[in-house]
Amino acid sequence: MLDFLSSIAWWGWVLIALALVAIRDVFFQKKHTISHNYPIVGHLRYWLESIGPEMRQYFVANNREELPFNRIERGWIYASAKKENNYEGFGTDRDIYEHQHVFINNAMMPFKLPENHPNKIDKTFLPCAKVMGEYNKRKRPYRPASIINVSAMSFGSLSAKAIESLNKGVKIADAYHNTGEGGLSPYHSNGGDVVFHFGTGYFGVRTEDGGFSMEKMIKLVNDNPFIRAIEVKLSQGAKPGKGGVLPGAKITKQIAEIRGVEVGKDVLSPPNHKAFSNVPELVDFIESIAEATGLPVGIKAAIGKLEQWEELADIMLKTDKGPDFITVDGGEGGTGAAPPSFADHVSLPWVYGFSDLYKLFKSKGLSERIVFVASGKLGFPAKAAMAFAMGADCINVAREAMMSIGCIQAQICHTNRCPTGVATQSKWLQNGIDPTLKSIRLAQYFKTFRKELIEITHAAGYEHPCQFKMSDVEVNVDDHNLSKELSKTYQYEKTAVPFISMQSLKDCEHLGGAR
């Protein structure tokens, strides 16, 4: 028998293997009609389908066609992160007449930097023009040293080496790193400013029964002085009104310890908070955390109905209390996995949601006391200029930050099979990430972003993006009125942000980062 088996040629073994597959397909396998009716050949169809996104990305789609980020957008991030040439030649290939295309009105005479200006010394210096917690007189107010920062992405959803790369990168770039709702991990502790974020699961500050622990929150802040602010997640753009899901396959022993959950078991965050059930209780909750920790406390949400937001504004007017900052997340979705029905249809895209919310708070005279953080595909200088013209004070980026450290938009974040090691807990796949190199790339992307936004700002005749007015930016609306100023499109005027000079921001005692 052994002599007979050894005499079979290699191609004979291939035929035997194919025959076994064919027998399995026809007689034993009942799940897949295609492979049953077309044994062996049918498997090719499923394999081609599995690599379809990659094939379209590289060989089929044009430069401006893909979603959520097209090839030109990804290419700009990659080139900026690697400090390569990110220019384009021979004019734009974008359809500048398409709906929502942004135009920034440049000044006849650009802003001229005086001698010894901070931007002559550092072309990327661009801090937030507002101070978180200043109005409410928090014990430890915070001025972000960068107007672009890393948005909420948790350890668990992202790998340890990805989180480490991001945190080391924000330290180099003087930005802040939002933890996401997975709790504070050792990988968030590499020197960067941190905004501690938690949602309905209260991971990291969780009681045994799944509630919120003030004692753990106080200890966390006291033990980790690099935590500069706290963010309470009400909802997120990917799936507002629906709790988050972390598959059990991604939950290692370390993640379980940080979050206070079981190893290998799916973690389902409820859609509602246990610590509060209405708007007055939310305000009391915010104030209790701010009082106990001394830190600015804000909220994050995707925007839909405005009735409860109006209730919040009225309570803030009446009590002179409330959140120090509000992060508005776009309904376009983000790094979080979500059912298509949610990602496609629930909550407003950033530009509509933000304009509705800002308009409401401005009408109540509250826009000056809140730091507005914008989150929703805004990691490009021109889009950021539009956001600042509408009233944003800071930009948070998630997917753009992931791309700067190697993400290729494979869109399989929820499977634990991320090929670049960014969104997986697989040790093998993570080995491809060098945090020392990737942190530099994140920092370089942020610095390039700030440099180009400063240049756009100067071209419009201003010193800081906070000075942009609604009339400085136009968008294409429809065929009858190709472009309209933002003020006419969204029917409000932005509140002027108090601003003296870049030097005054640099000299601020509450400035974050390593400065």
Side-chain angles (χ1 to χ4, degrees):
M1 178 62 71
L2 292 175
D3 289 340
F4 171 72
L5 293 175
S6 63
S7 67
I8 300 175
W10 65 267
W11 52 266
W13 285 110
V14 172
L15 292 176
I16 291 171
L18 292 176
L20 291 174
V21 171
I23 291 170
R24 170 191 171 276
D25 287 343
V26 174
F27 296 105
F28 299 100
Q29 184 279 129
K30 301 297 181 183
K31 289 184 178 179
H32 304 293
T33 303
I34 294 294
S35 56
H36 176 272
N37 292 345
Y38 301 93
I40 301 175
V41 177
H43 291 279
L44 183 62
R45 183 261 181 193
Y46 294 110
W47 178 73
L48 289 172
E49 182 183 44
S50 70
I51 64 171
E54 290 84 355
M55 296 294 288
R56 290 189 294 274
Q57 182 180 95
Y58 295 112
F59 301 110
V60 180
N62 67 39
N63 287 346
R64 299 286 186 183
E65 192 173 47
E66 297 172 275
L67 291 172
F69 294 89
N70 62 48
R71 189 175 297 139
I72 294 295
E73 291 172 329
R74 296 199 315 276
W76 182 84
I77 293 172
Y78 296 145
S80 299
K82 296 174 184 177
K83 210 173 183 178
E84 296 176 349
N85 186 343
N86 62 3
Y87 286 25
E88 61 183 37
F90 211 64
T92 181
D93 63 354
R94 182 187 288 273
D95 178 6
I96 61 174
Y97 300 102
E98 69 178 347
H99 181 63
Q100 287 291 319
H101 185 75
V102 175
F103 300 95
I104 298 162
N105 294 324
N106 59 297
M108 182 180 180
M109 301 289 179
F111 177 81
K112 184 178 180 180
L113 290 175
E115 291 300 323
N116 299 319
H117 189 278
N119 289 135
K120 279 207 168 183
I121 301 167
D122 180 357
K123 295 181 185 298
T124 71
F125 177 68
L126 190 55
C128 180
K130 290 181 181 177
V131 178
M132 293 179 176
E134 185 176 49
Y135 179 87
N136 289 318
K137 296 181 175 58
R138 306 305 187 198
K139 295 173 187 174
R140 292 175 55 194
Y142 176 54
R143 184 193 298 275
S146 171
I147 54 86
I148 179 172
N149 302 282
V150 174
S151 191
M153 296 182 287
S154 62
F155 171 52
S157 296
L158 265 56
S159 68
K161 287 193 174 182
I163 294 292
E164 181 182 348
S165 300
L166 293 173
N167 193 261
K168 288 181 175 179
V170 299
K171 179 184 179 182
I172 298 169
D174 286 328
Y176 68 67
H177 186 182
N178 190 306
T179 63
E181 63 176 310
L184 184 75
S185 72
Y187 312 106
H188 291 102
S189 309
N190 288 284
D193 286 354
V194 164
V195 172
F196 180 75
H197 167 112
F198 66 89
T200 56
Y202 304 116
F203 302 125
V205 287
R206 177 184 174 98
T207 60
E208 289 186 6
D209 63 352
F212 173 75
S213 170
M214 184 65 81
E215 291 74 18
K216 288 185 177 180
M217 173 63 80
I218 295 170
K219 186 177 188 307
L220 190 76
V221 171
N222 290 340
D223 291 348
N224 301 281
F226 52 82
I227 298 176
R228 304 301 301 272
I230 296 167
E231 184 175 78
V232 183
K233 189 188 83 170
L234 303 181
S235 61
Q236 66 185 83
K239 45 184 180 291
K242 181 177 174 62
V245 180
L246 185 65
K250 279 191 170 186
I251 300 178
T252 63
K253 181 180 179 182
Q254 185 182 38
I255 291 172
E257 289 174 355
I258 292 169
R259 294 195 176 208
V261 296
E262 295 181 39
V263 177
K265 185 177 180 181
D266 289 356
V267 174
L268 307 176
S269 300
N272 301 100
H273 276 268
K274 283 187 174 182
F276 54 89
S277 58
N278 54 47
V279 178
E281 290 178 1
L282 167 63
V283 174
D284 291 340
F285 183 62
I286 290 170
E287 291 298 323
S288 65
I289 294 175
E291 179 63 29
T293 64
L295 296 179
V297 180
I299 55 178
K300 174 183 178 178
I303 308 302
K305 295 179 179 180
L306 295 177
E307 291 88 348
Q308 289 175 318
W309 288 103
E310 186 163 10
E311 183 182 359
L312 172 61
D314 289 337
I315 291 172
M316 291 173 67
L317 272 175
K318 183 179 179 181
T319 64
D320 217 25
K321 298 177 180 178
D324 299 293
F325 63 96
I326 297 176
T327 302
V328 178
D329 203 15
E332 298 92 336
T335 53
S341 54
F342 272 79
D344 295 348
H345 301 289
V346 182
S347 90
L348 294 170
W350 182 85
V351 70
Y352 301 136
F354 183 87
S355 60
D356 284 354
L357 188 72
Y358 187 92
K359 193 188 310 182
L360 188 156
F361 277 88
K362 183 180 184 299
S363 70
K364 305 281 188 179
L366 294 168
S367 51
E368 290 185 356
R369 61 189 261 191
I370 297 170
V371 176
F372 288 97
V373 182
S375 173
K377 291 182 68 176
L378 297 170
F380 305 93
K383 287 187 176 180
M386 177 195 71
F388 274 87
M390 294 177 67
D393 300 298
C394 273
I395 303 293
N396 277 1
V397 294
R399 290 169 289 183
E400 298 94 320
M402 289 169 64
M403 284 188 275
S404 75
I405 64 170
C407 167
I408 61 171
Q409 193 172 279
Q411 296 181 276
I412 53 173
C413 311
H414 56 296
T415 66
N416 205 34
R417 292 185 289 107
C418 171
T420 61
V422 174
T424 178
Q425 298 308 311
S426 164
K427 297 291 186 183
W428 171 257
L429 293 172
Q430 288 186 57
N431 284 336
I433 297 179
D434 177 0
T436 301
L437 171 64
K438 298 300 185 181
S439 62
I440 293 172
R441 291 188 175 175
L442 181 280
Q444 188 56 49
Y445 159 57
F446 274 17
K447 290 181 178 182
T448 303
F449 177 99
R450 295 196 306 241
K451 177 178 176 289
E452 293 195 12
L453 180 55
I454 289 169
E455 290 169 347
I456 290 173
T457 303
H458 292 173
Y462 300 124
E463 186 180 3
H464 190 285
C466 75
Q467 296 173 285
F468 273 113
K469 302 182 180 71
M470 300 282 278
S471 57
D472 293 317
V473 181
E474 298 185 21
V475 292
N476 286 339
V477 179
D478 55 45
D479 292 337
H480 300 292
N481 191 340
L482 283 178
S483 70
K484 292 172 71 174
E485 296 174 355
L486 292 176
S487 55
K488 295 177 181 176
T489 303
Y490 298 109
Q491 299 296 304
Y492 73 94
E493 291 284 353
K494 167 193 166 185
T495 304
V497 176
F499 174 74
I500 300 172
S501 68
M502 280 286 206
Q503 188 62 49
S504 68
L505 302 185
K506 188 174 183 178
D507 296 337
C508 177
E509 63 177 318
H510 306 304
L511 185 67
R515 298 176 188 280

